[in-house]
Amino acid sequence: MSSHHIVRENQEPALVVEEVQALSEEYLGQLLEWSPTLITTPQQIDYFLMQDIKIDVLYGVSTDQYQEDIKVILPEKDFLTDSIQYLIAHGHKAVNILTKTISEHILSFADAINIVLFCEGIRYVVIREKYEKWKTKGDRMFVEPSQIKSFNGLRYVEDNIFQVEQDGFVALEMNTDQYIIVGEEV
């Protein structure tokens, strides 16, 4: 029996790359495995060209000198805002974002698209109300304590840092119905 996968357009999370160094090359390779729609900036394009990775959308410049069939997003607000609006307009349901900094305004898009951010080697998920996931003992998680109603399987370390007490499911229940960002080590 064959194990071919059929991937429909926009089924896999798109990949928006503001900062390619936000994630290890190995993990980036995993995100690229299913050939997601890839949006990046002129500052990051050399990395993808050297790796012979197809870019679908380039932010803000003509693409004639790079690869064939690259679409362009013209700047209106900023790279992340314009990229996410492009993905939503084109029917994408999820996006992975590699970025230098995390802006809280990203939460304003959470109703329209599932967002995962990678920044400085940490994976941030945008959640609402509760978070539950299998984690390994010793893993660290990052969340603002004032946003937490209760937690299980974690111990508070300091500032916004929690540590997984033992292998198994951890749970966070938030004290708000607003979207928030929870970080976890990659």
Side-chain angles (χ1 to χ4, degrees), residues 16-17 28 36 50 53 59 64 69 88 90 101 103 120 166 169 182:
V16 172
V17 180
L28 176 58
M50 288 185 342
I53 296 169
Y59 184 73
D64 297 342
D69 301 323
I88 292 168
H90 287 84
T101 59
S103 172
E120 297 183 5
Q166 60 189 13
F169 279 98
V182 173

Side-chain angles (χ1 to χ4, degrees), residues 5-18:
H5 298 281
I6 297 172
V7 178
R8 294 189 184 113
E9 192 169 333
N10 302 346
Q11 182 179 353
E12 290 297 316
L15 181 59
V16 172
V17 180
E18 179 182 44

Side-chain angles (χ1 to χ4, degrees), residues 4-175:
H4 292 281
H5 298 281
I6 297 172
V7 178
R8 294 189 184 113
E9 192 169 333
N10 302 346
Q11 182 179 353
E12 290 297 316
L15 181 59
V16 172
V17 180
E18 179 182 44
E19 178 60 55
V20 77
Q21 284 83 25
L23 195 58
S24 73
E25 201 166 305
E26 177 185 339
Y27 205 92
L28 176 58
Q30 292 175 24
L31 294 178
L32 290 165
E33 194 171 287
W34 292 93
S35 301
T37 297
L38 175 60
I39 301 175
T40 195
T41 65
Q43 294 80 12
Q44 303 299 309
I45 197 168
D46 287 341
Y47 172 83
F48 295 107
L49 293 175
M50 288 185 342
Q51 302 293 328
D52 200 28
I53 296 169
K54 173 77 173 96
I55 297 162
D56 299 290
V57 184
L58 190 60
Y59 184 73
V61 296
S62 169
T63 60
D64 297 342
Q65 74 241 34
Y66 299 116
Q67 295 174 340
E68 291 181 22
D69 301 323
I70 299 178
K71 295 178 178 111
V72 175
I73 296 175
L74 296 175
E76 289 183 26
K77 295 183 180 161
D78 61 74
F79 171 68
L80 289 179
T81 300
D82 294 344
S83 297
I84 293 171
Q85 288 175 334
Y86 174 91
L87 292 170
I88 292 168
H90 287 84
H92 288 267
K93 303 293 182 218
V95 61
N96 291 313
I97 300 171
L98 277 62
T99 184
K100 297 178 247 190
T101 59
I102 296 175
S103 172
E104 290 292 321
H105 87 278
I106 203 95
L107 298 176
S108 66
F109 297 105
D111 275 331
I113 192 166
N114 184 11
I115 301 169
V116 175
L117 302 129
F118 295 89
C119 182
E120 297 183 5
I122 298 173
R123 177 181 186 263
Y124 294 92
V125 293
V126 175
I127 63 157
R128 187 181 213 165
E129 297 178 16
K130 57 175 116 174
Y131 172 94
E132 188 174 84
K133 187 172 181 180
W134 175 272
K135 302 294 288 174
T136 305
K137 179 180 181 176
D139 283 356
R140 293 184 312 157
M141 295 184 61
F142 310 89
V143 63
E144 171 60 48
S146 67
Q147 297 173 324
I148 299 172
K149 181 190 227 176
S150 66
F151 58 92
N152 190 16
L154 298 167
R155 71 176 180 81
Y156 177 73
V157 178
E158 62 184 342
D159 298 327
N160 298 340
I161 303 171
F162 290 79
Q163 191 166 36
V164 177
E165 293 180 308
Q166 60 189 13
D167 291 358
F169 279 98
V170 298
L172 294 168
E173 187 177 353
M174 305 307 164
N175 60 16

